[in-house]
Amino acid sequence: MFKKHFTKLLLGITTMTWLVAGGANVYAASPGDVVINEIAWAGTADNSNDEWIELYNPTNGTVDLNGWYIEDDGSKLPAFQNVQIAPHGYFLIEDSEETVSTIQADAILNLSLANAGDTLVLKDASGKIIDQVNLSGGAWYA
């Protein structure tokens, strides 16, 4: 009898865990699990103010970005809300939806990247550094 009830309890806990995770393989990220992949610090051919940042998930699991944020020279940009990045997927952050006209933004933030260079740090919801670029704050690589 005990074994039957224990099995039901274990099955219930497993099911609830799966449902809370949205049925997907979502896990807490470690440094390097999501990387700042590309930065359009000089804007686009249409407008020099059309800046964007692309994140990439090189792992085989979905990463929950809820509460994650980017620090731009120490200033915290607004946190991402209710978003995930698929395995081997990209996450596009734009300063307006019109920035990259062929791709819908995953997040719209008030980006203002200095042409002379910035230090960008991607942090998870607990403030742990996941990736960082241009730590010197000097000129962007071009």
Side-chain angles (χ1 to χ4, degrees), residues 55-138:
L55 304 180
Y56 175 66
N57 173 3
T59 72
N60 291 323
T62 299
V63 178
D64 185 353
L65 299 179
N66 190 44
W68 287 35
Y69 58 95
I70 293 176
E71 284 184 356
D72 177 0
D73 287 334
S75 296
K76 182 178 173 180
L77 297 175
F80 308 130
Q81 300 298 320
N82 302 316
V83 293
Q84 297 177 345
I85 184 169
H88 305 284
Y90 297 90
F91 186 83
L92 182 62
I93 305 160
E94 300 179 7
D95 65 346
S96 73
E97 185 52 61
E98 295 79 35
T99 299
V100 181
S101 60
T102 58
I103 302 172
Q104 182 174 350
D106 296 297
I108 305 290
L109 302 179
N110 186 21
L111 296 177
S112 182
L113 302 172
N115 290 348
D118 283 311
T119 297
L120 299 178
V121 181
L122 175 64
K123 294 186 175 184
D124 70 8
S126 69
K128 179 174 63 176
I129 295 173
I130 301 299
D131 194 27
Q132 47 195 352
V133 295
N134 206 31
L135 296 181
S136 70

Side-chain angles (χ1 to χ4, degrees), residues 11-86:
L11 181 60
I13 291 170
T14 303
T15 302
M16 288 300 293
T17 302
W18 186 80
L19 289 173
V20 168
N25 181 21
V26 180
Y27 63 95
S30 297
D33 282 354
V34 176
V35 296
I36 300 171
N37 192 57
E38 196 169 348
I39 303 165
W41 52 268
T44 66
D46 291 337
N47 187 330
S48 63
N49 291 321
D50 287 344
E51 299 172 338
W52 51 268
I53 299 170
E54 179 186 81
L55 304 180
Y56 175 66
N57 173 3
T59 72
N60 291 323
T62 299
V63 178
D64 185 353
L65 299 179
N66 190 44
W68 287 35
Y69 58 95
I70 293 176
E71 284 184 356
D72 177 0
D73 287 334
S75 296
K76 182 178 173 180
L77 297 175
F80 308 130
Q81 300 298 320
N82 302 316
V83 293
Q84 297 177 345
I85 184 169

